[in-house]
Amino acid sequence: MRTDPYRPAQRVAGQRQDVWTIVNEAATASPVQPIVNMGQGFLYVVNSKLNDTVPVDSADDTSGYNPPKFVLDAAKEALNRVDANQYSPTKGRPRLKKAIANAYSPFFGRTINPDTEVTVTTGANEGMLSAFMGFIEPGDEVIIFEPFFDQYISNIEMPGGKIRYVPMSPPKDAATRTSSAADWVIDFEALEKTVNDKTRMIVLNSPHNPVGKVYSKDELQRIGDLAVKHNLIILSDEVYDRLYYVDFTRMATLSPEIAERTLTVGSGGKNFYATGWRVGWLIGPEHLIKYVSAAHTRICYSSVSPLQEAVAIGFEEADKHGFWDESKKEMEGKVKRFCEVFDELGLPYSIPQGGYFVLANLSRVKLPESYSFPAHVVNRPRDFQLCWFLIMELGVAAIPPTEFYTDGNAHIVADYLRFAVCKEDEVLERAKERLRGLKKFIE
């Protein structure tokens, strides 16, 4: 007889406290309220005074973005339709698949078949889980680049995959000079050495979270050629594909040989500022997509019907509203607006080429030697202490990027914090004013 009937599976047991829990804990305890949330687009904590769950930036409703009106209206209208409130086909609603195919065919330089080359998933994250479940067997190896989106790890480990890590590194003078995210480099020699007979897949993310790097065509070509040489699948996470401020190359467009092994991941939540809707998709050749769809069917069967309909209409209407160009212009402006405070303080940062994250180097910020940190923060790298300190003393939440590195490479970003600029301008200005409080701690 089992002596411990409530013992959890190893895949979920023994995980250390994650960064989101620590940030929420600090935000709840901070004497500086309301917290200005620069850590993530939408973050909720328990307000101890109200005993309720509220946005971190609870003074108003501007901590994040809402979808554009034409997308919100489409969602509201869909809720009134009988067909949009029932199960959708497991591969996605026909209207959305067609809209995705129509939107992306010009980028791919060919006509995408919506029935065989597109599958809709419950967010990009579940789509990536479906890809791993569809192709990874126990013992197979998957290569990812550090820093990585933290959900990659559990998604790969769930089907029994083993992760091999290849680090990206900032320029050597990043602690003293503001530079482009393009200057973060892949160790291609390490990448070559990491590939072996067990390697099944390479995962990459461009535009990159949290660095903001848009991989150059040459970098993508080297990765693609390696995948072709060793017969690997490429999972190209391109969820920030509508927010790029330099030339952006899509992995699947490099050559027919690379395209036939590439799964491209997209996100309606990222495209339309509706991350809570959980509408994503994968685009790829039929011989890959059909197995992603098969796994998705077993994981959650189908995705939210009315929100699929709204995202479809979003794609159909976006160009008429000038939405894509305006989004890029607006977000790049927010990056520049927010980073003014780092220029004032003399703190260097990486200028993002895409997305809405900024990595700032706070190596010049000297934390008081006698400052009291909780044990679970003391035992983490310095960026966790910087994160805790900013929340408790300034009321500004940011994310420590060592969460996106293995312990062995965490030193690479131990002096950085990640800030999300997808906020209303008044929130950015409030954050800047509070961050000026760092001046007395800078040497």
Side-chain angles (χ1 to χ4, degrees):
M1 179 180 293
R2 186 183 296 273
T3 57
D4 183 5
Y6 310 119
R7 184 182 65 197
Q10 187 173 354
R11 70 178 67 92
V12 296
Q15 296 180 359
R16 66 186 178 185
Q17 193 171 20
D18 65 81
V19 64
W20 319 111
T21 304
I22 291 174
V23 169
N24 279 350
E25 175 191 344
T28 303
S30 175
V32 185
Q33 296 291 339
I35 301 299
V36 181
N37 172 24
M38 298 300 298
Q40 190 70 344
F42 310 93
L43 185 66
Y44 283 75
V45 298
V46 174
N47 185 314
S48 57
K49 294 180 180 179
L50 299 177
N51 193 29
D52 197 6
T53 302
V54 297
V56 167
D57 195 2
S58 54
D60 51 42
D61 195 28
T62 57
S63 61
Y65 260 39
N66 235 6
K69 185 177 184 300
F70 66 93
V71 175
L72 285 176
D73 288 346
K76 294 171 184 176
E77 183 179 339
L79 286 170
N80 291 322
R81 290 171 40 192
V82 173
D83 69 294
N85 286 296
Q86 309 307 319
Y87 289 125
S88 289
T90 185
K91 290 183 68 176
R93 294 181 71 81
R95 185 175 187 176
L96 177 55
K97 291 192 298 177
K98 182 180 179 181
I100 292 169
N102 289 342
Y104 283 88
S105 289
F107 298 138
F108 280 61
R110 64 179 183 82
T111 300
I112 296 171
N113 186 321
D115 296 320
T116 61
E117 296 181 301
V118 177
T119 194
V120 175
T121 58
T122 308
N125 186 39
E126 188 268 324
M128 288 185 279
L129 174 62
S130 295
F132 296 131
M133 287 290 190
F135 290 100
I136 300 303
E137 300 277 14
D140 286 345
E141 295 187 1
V142 179
I143 295 173
I144 66 174
F145 298 102
E146 300 180 84
F148 46 77
F149 175 48
D150 53 347
Q151 290 293 314
Y152 293 160
I153 309 306
S154 56
N155 285 354
I156 294 167
E157 291 177 342
M158 283 285 183
K162 180 179 179 181
I163 304 165
R164 301 292 298 273
Y165 301 91
V166 175
M168 279 200 302
S169 298
K172 293 181 179 179
D173 60 353
T176 59
R177 179 180 67 90
T178 291
S179 56
S180 170
D183 295 338
W184 287 66
V185 295
I186 299 168
D187 187 338
F188 278 100
E189 183 178 349
L191 175 59
E192 289 267 6
K193 292 178 179 178
T194 302
V195 178
N196 60 62
D197 291 342
K198 295 181 180 179
T199 309
R200 185 83 165 102
M201 189 180 293
I202 296 179
V203 180
L204 62 100
N205 174 210
S206 179
H208 189 277
N209 170 18
V211 173
K213 178 184 176 72
V214 172
Y215 285 26
S216 70
K217 185 175 181 179
D218 288 344
E219 288 171 321
L220 292 176
Q221 190 70 56
R222 291 183 69 175
I223 296 168
D225 289 345
L226 189 68
V228 171
K229 176 182 176 181
H230 295 280
N231 206 21
L232 310 177
I233 295 171
I234 301 169
L235 186 68
S236 187
D237 179 355
E238 300 178 12
V239 298
Y240 298 101
D241 71 328
R242 297 288 182 163
L243 291 175
Y244 55 88
Y245 319 125
V246 297
D247 290 342
F248 173 52
T249 301
R250 298 172 188 274
M251 173 62 83
T253 66
L254 292 176
S255 71
E257 294 79 15
I258 292 173
E260 71 180 11
R261 63 188 63 253
T262 299
L263 288 164
T264 300
V265 183
S267 167
K270 296 296 193 296
N271 284 175
F272 296 109
Y273 305 114
T275 56
W277 287 13
R278 313 309 296 146
V279 178
W281 57 84
L282 275 76
I283 300 171
E286 181 179 6
H287 58 266
L288 297 181
I289 286 293
K290 65 181 179 181
Y291 297 114
V292 176
S293 299
H296 166 74
T297 301
R298 300 294 174 259
I299 293 169
C300 59
Y301 183 69
S302 67
S303 302
V304 182
S305 297
L307 301 183
Q308 286 191 57
E309 199 72 6
V311 171
I313 294 170
F315 274 117
E316 294 166 1
E317 299 288 328
D319 287 329
K320 301 175 188 176
H321 293 269
F323 177 71
W324 305 122
D325 290 339
E326 183 60 30
S327 291
K328 282 195 289 187
K329 179 181 178 181
E330 184 176 36
M331 202 57 68
E332 188 175 20
K334 290 181 182 297
V335 169
K336 293 176 180 177
R337 174 188 286 269
F338 179 65
C339 288
E340 289 171 350
V341 72
F342 298 129
D343 293 329
E344 290 176 28
L345 295 171
L347 297 175
Y349 54 93
S350 290
I351 304 169
Q353 298 175 295
Y356 44 64
F357 296 115
V358 174
L359 282 180
N361 188 298
L362 275 64
S363 58
R364 293 183 59 215
V365 175
K366 303 304 177 184
L367 299 174
E369 292 184 7
S370 60
Y371 198 83
S372 178
F373 294 100
H376 60 278
V377 174
V378 170
N379 294 329
R380 302 293 285 270
R382 183 175 184 267
D383 59 336
F384 273 79
Q385 294 158 34
L386 287 166
C387 168
W388 187 274
F389 184 79
L390 258 65
I391 293 173
M392 298 300 290
E393 300 302 318
L394 304 181
V396 177
I399 298 299
T402 60
E403 181 79 358
F404 313 128
Y405 274 84
T406 55
D407 290 344
N409 287 322
H411 65 278
I412 294 173
V413 290
D415 287 320
Y416 286 86
L417 284 178
R418 188 195 78 175
F419 296 85
V421 303
C422 47
K423 318 287 177 179
E424 297 293 348
D425 287 348
E426 60 195 272
V427 176
L428 298 180
E429 292 300 325
R430 193 181 313 135
K432 288 163 63 178
E433 183 58 35
R434 291 191 181 185
L435 287 170
R436 291 185 179 103
L438 285 174
K439 189 172 183 179
K440 61 184 176 182
F441 300 104
I442 294 175
E443 292 184 357

